[in-house]
Amino acid sequence: GAVRVSSMLRHMVNIGVATEESFQIVLEALCGRGRLRWKSKQSGIVCAADEVDRLIQELWERQNGNVSTETCNLALRAYAACSTPRGNRQYAQKAQTLLDKM
């Protein structure tokens, strides 16, 4: 699932062959998890939006802000799925920041 394609993306980034489509595949896999939360070795308890946030920032930097609307929509979908009034992750604010960048 999402963990496997994420590690495949890391490898593709490391060897310099990752494209925006490579990132989209991982974003889609993460979106498929919905609101599910899981334990990450690096970050503790996370949901799709936490991972998507990291990936979209990385892609934004790699492409100097030239990220497709389709990719941004995948990130917005993850933020919407994970957004709750509880917690302190501020997904709605992150979504607004992404919209402002677009």
Side-chain angles (χ1 to χ4, degrees):
V3 172
R4 179 72 180 131
V5 294
S6 293
S7 74
M8 292 168 73
L9 175 64
R10 277 298 113 226
H11 179 69
M12 292 175 76
V13 167
N14 289 340
I15 63 173
V17 297
T19 64
E20 183 171 354
E21 185 178 7
S22 307
F23 280 80
Q24 286 176 349
I25 292 167
V26 177
L27 294 173
E28 288 172 4
L30 289 167
C31 285
R33 287 189 161 197
R35 294 183 79 156
L36 177 71
R37 296 191 184 278
W38 66 93
K39 188 169 183 135
S40 166
K41 293 177 184 176
Q42 300 89 2
S43 307
I45 303 299
V46 297
C47 76
D50 298 316
E51 297 295 315
V52 165
D53 189 50
R54 181 182 57 76
L55 289 173
I56 201 74
Q57 287 179 17
E58 178 181 349
L59 182 60
W60 201 273
E61 289 173 13
R62 287 174 53 87
Q63 299 197 172
N64 297 316
N66 188 18
V67 176
S68 74
T69 301
E70 180 182 356
T71 301
C72 291
N73 284 341
L74 288 168
L76 293 173
R77 187 181 329 152
Y79 290 141
C82 293
S83 186
T84 65
R86 295 181 302 254
N88 194 23
R89 306 235 174 136
Q90 302 172 345
Y91 299 127
Q93 183 180 4
K94 290 177 181 184
Q96 185 60 52
T97 300
L98 179 59
L99 289 170
D100 293 343
K101 285 182 178 180
M102 292 173 66

